[in-house]
Amino acid sequence: DAKTTQPPSMDCAEGRAANLPCNHSTISGNEYVYWYRQIHSQGPQYIIHGLKNNETNEMASLIITEDRKSSTLILPHATLRDTAVYYCIVRVGYTSGTYKYIFGTGTRLKVLA
Amino acid sequence: DTGVSQDPRHKITKRGQNVTFRCDPISEHNRLYWYRQTLGQGPEFLTYFQNEAQLEKSRLLSDRFSAERPKGSFSTLEIQRTEQGDSAMYLCASSSRARGGYTFGSGTRLTVV
């Protein structure tokens, strides 16, 4: 089962910041939070990941609460091309030399013109 | 970096037929993953290769499914005696290390009629 909970859908006005929340209350101390997005008919695309510090890259910012039980992905200036399903994933433990992702159903973000 | 390539993009087959999909990962990536995604759901882990060794298989991978990565480069996923329940998007991903994000391909959409 997925270890994260996300709202099923959100709308955001074009040009505004999109703030996508995620709850991961059972996260362990060494588990990272990853965010991917999936545009219709394409494979998921990596956005960002973090452990406990806030992270920023050219695509987005990731804010993780101090207790690590929740996080927020921020798209600072949403465009129509950001319309997608956004997945928050807590990477499942290390076995066989790698980690696995357990995806939930994600948040369907619709950016409105 | 040409990304992860999957072939074919779409496959329609009759129930009971065998199908084979191919995945070409990013050339320097030694880790390769197969996921399956049904409509409205997030991707589900199927199997993982490190180089040519198949190190982990999900319980979702029934006896009708087999995956190979013979030379540690491309991989194939074969489904024998297809069933309507096998209809899904089959996604391949690769990575170069245990940490960090995966790069997903665009997937092969299988429809069993």
Side-chain angles (χ1 to χ4, degrees), chain A residues 35-51:
Chain A
W35 283 83
Y36 280 74
R37 72 180 183 185
Q38 188 171 26
I39 296 170
H40 184 61
S41 295
Q42 297 182 21
Q45 176 191 22
Y46 166 80
I47 302 173
I48 199 167
H49 73 281
L51 182 62

Side-chain angles (χ1 to χ4, degrees), chain A residues 64-112:
Chain A
I64 302 174
T65 58
E66 193 168 342
D67 63 7
R68 302 209 326 117
K69 293 185 177 182
S70 66
S71 60
T72 301
L73 179 76
I74 301 172
L75 308 178
H77 305 287
T79 71
L80 298 178
R81 289 179 295 179
D82 292 322
T83 292
V85 178
Y86 287 77
Y87 295 100
C88 168
I89 304 157
V90 170
R91 201 173 48 182
V92 178
Y94 191 82
T95 59
S96 306
T98 196
Y99 294 89
K100 293 191 299 293
Y101 296 144
I102 306 298
F103 286 80
T105 52
T107 295
R108 186 172 299 275
L109 175 70
K110 187 173 183 179
V111 180
L112 305 172

